[in-house]
């Protein structure tokens, strides 16, 4: 069922893109974090999020983020986590001050995560998880030129997330967030054409 929904969204996005010429943008964000803890524990996180969108008029646009997030932890136990994300959105540009645009994205995201842990005895365990989220995310764009923009996005002004392990009898965990602007702050560069 989820695959059908994703294919429908992708088809609709391509149709909109084909009808809106010379108003498209492409870019994304890239991030890396290294965290060391007392002892030998060490975390590495790499996040790659390409993005493509179409500006429909002065206020409205549609786009999609898709990407990969990987975390490796050396400790007890060792952990390798990889997440693939598909996140279409509708963007409303609320304010414009010269080269600066203030906007909000209404986003639906779907994540597929694989966690692999290796314990002290060398025993490996795989856990998969599927999650979806609906959120409103604020952002700001600074248009350096007509073709180049710097974009910063904050966390969720409001959001609802449901995640469920891919196992028999597993229960879903739901999270509601309000004004959670501290998570997932990203910076990216975009080319407008």
């Amino acid at each position: 069922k989820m695959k059908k929904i994703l294919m429908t969204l992708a088809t609709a996005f391509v149709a909109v893109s084909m009808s809106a010429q010379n108003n498209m943008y492409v870019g994304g964000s890239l991030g890396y974090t290294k965290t060391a803890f007392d002892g030998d524990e060490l975390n590495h996180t790499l996040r790659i999020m390409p993005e493509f969108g179409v500006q429909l008029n002065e206020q409205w646009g549609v786009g999609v983020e898709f990407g990969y997030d990987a975390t490796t932890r050396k400790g007890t136990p060792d952990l390798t986590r990889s997440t693939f994300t598909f996140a279409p959105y509708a963007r409303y540009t609320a304010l414009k001050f010269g080269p600066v645009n203030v906007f909000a994205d209404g986003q639906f995201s779907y994540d597929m995560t694989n966690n692999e842990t290796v314990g002290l005895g060398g025993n490996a365990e795989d856990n998969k998880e599927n999650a979806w989220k609906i959120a409103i995310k604020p952002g700001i764009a600074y248009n350096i030129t007509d073709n180049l923009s710097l974009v910063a996005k904050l966390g969720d002004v409001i959001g609802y997330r449901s995640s469920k392990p891919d196992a028999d009898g597993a229960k879903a965990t739901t999270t509601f967030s309000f004004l959670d602007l501290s998570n997932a702050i990203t910076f990216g560069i975009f080319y407008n054409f």
Side-chain angles (χ1 to χ4, degrees):
K1 185 176 178 182
M2 185 56 70
K3 288 181 182 178
K4 288 181 181 179
I5 292 171
L6 294 176
M7 288 304 294
T8 302
L9 289 170
T11 302
F13 183 76
V14 169
V16 170
S17 299
M18 299 289 278
S19 66
Q21 298 175 355
N22 300 325
N23 295 314
M24 296 181 278
Y25 56 90
V26 64
S29 59
L30 173 69
Y32 174 76
T33 304
K34 178 179 176 181
T35 307
F37 300 95
D38 287 341
D40 296 329
E41 193 168 315
L42 185 66
N43 278 14
H44 295 274
T45 302
L46 174 66
R47 183 176 173 88
I48 302 168
M49 290 296 288
E51 185 174 336
F52 175 76
V54 178
Q55 194 66 37
L56 302 174
N57 56 39
E58 287 291 314
Q59 277 77 41
W60 288 100
V62 293
V64 63
E65 286 183 296
F66 51 93
Y68 177 72
D69 190 306
T71 299
T72 303
R73 182 184 71 207
K74 297 296 182 188
T76 306
D78 289 345
L79 169 70
T80 303
R81 174 182 293 131
S82 56
T83 302
F84 293 93
T85 300
F86 176 76
Y89 62 84
R91 175 170 294 172
Y92 179 72
T93 302
L95 300 169
K96 292 188 176 189
F97 303 102
V100 177
N101 297 342
V102 178
F103 62 85
D105 289 348
Q107 187 177 68
F108 168 83
S109 65
Y110 179 70
D111 296 336
M112 296 173 289
T113 302
N114 184 53
N115 296 301
E116 181 182 329
T117 55
V118 179
L120 286 173
N123 298 326
E125 182 180 335
D126 277 339
N127 296 302
K128 292 182 174 27
E129 181 181 89
N130 297 306
W132 62 268
K133 181 170 78 168
I134 297 174
I136 297 175
K137 301 170 148 313
I140 188 166
Y142 178 73
N143 302 306
I144 301 168
T145 68
D146 287 342
N147 297 107
L148 200 60
S149 301
L150 295 176
V151 175
K153 296 180 189 178
L154 300 176
D156 304 340
V157 169
I158 189 167
Y160 179 84
R161 184 177 191 272
S162 177
S163 62
K164 183 178 177 185
D166 190 6
D168 291 338
K171 304 268 186 195
T173 301
T174 58
T175 306
F176 175 77
S177 58
F178 180 69
L179 293 179
D180 186 11
L181 303 180
S182 62
N183 73 334
I185 298 173
T186 61
F187 298 93
I189 189 162
F190 288 81
Y191 181 76
N192 309 295
F193 56 97

